[in-house]
Amino acid sequence: MTMNTDTYLRISGMATDDAIRFRNLAPDANGQKPAEMISDGKSNPCRHCLGLIAKGDAMLLLAYRPFDELQPYAETGPIFLHRDTCERYESDVMPAWFDHFDPAIIRGYSEAHYIRYDTGKAVAGKDLTRSCQNILEDASVAYVHIRSKFNCFQCRVDRA
Ligand SMILES: [Zn+2]
């Protein structure tokens, strides 16, 4: 199935309720307290505002599962989060620094949150928008996840 219109995107950071829970040091996806650290300024992206955490700024390191329910494809992995309040990223364009996100891993998921194996690939950061649009032009794909080359979850992309 292919949609004939241009596919507009909605790029979203972690839900603010989740960010607040972790900042209150609620258990992460592994049942552990988020680790409190100081950013070294080297590629520590916050999964709430999708900005890079500046050197010297307080941050949390925790295990995050970007799925509401447990199921075979509900992977858990490490993420960073600003220790202090920040604004959730919600936009129809990618954060500017994603242009230097080399490479990023992208893949689509079904409504049942299963990986769509026909959609997965590694792409240059500057190609993320077009690549996400291509995946989401298939109406049977529910949404896309962007991950780092280390397979760390970065953000979710939906159709706008
Ligand atoms: Zn942030």
Side-chain angles (χ1 to χ4, degrees), residues 46 49 82 86:
C46 172
C49 66
H82 273 118
C86 61

Side-chain angles (χ1 to χ4, degrees), residues 39-84:
S39 173
D40 63 7
K42 293 177 185 162
S43 295
N44 299 140
C46 172
R47 268 51 166 215
H48 184 241
C49 66
L50 301 187
L52 293 168
I53 302 172
K55 181 179 168 111
D57 281 1
M59 66 178 186
L60 300 173
L61 170 64
L62 59 104
Y64 182 60
R65 189 182 63 241
F67 301 91
D68 291 337
E69 293 174 5
L70 290 175
Q71 40 88 7
Y73 289 96
E75 288 175 78
T76 295
I79 63 159
F80 301 112
L81 195 62
H82 273 118
R83 181 72 182 89
D84 299 320

Side-chain angles (χ1 to χ4, degrees), residues 1 20 38 67 74 127 151:
M1 274 187 289
I20 290 171
I38 300 296
F67 301 91
D127 296 331
N151 198 35

Side-chain angles (χ1 to χ4, degrees), residues 9 94-106 122-133 146:
L9 305 179
M94 301 282 170
W97 72 268
F98 276 22
D99 280 356
H100 309 290
F101 201 158
D102 276 341
I105 294 170
I106 58 171
V123 301
K126 60 181 169 40
D127 296 331
L128 271 170
T129 297
R130 189 61 237 158
S131 297
C132 289
Q133 286 171 330
I146 297 176

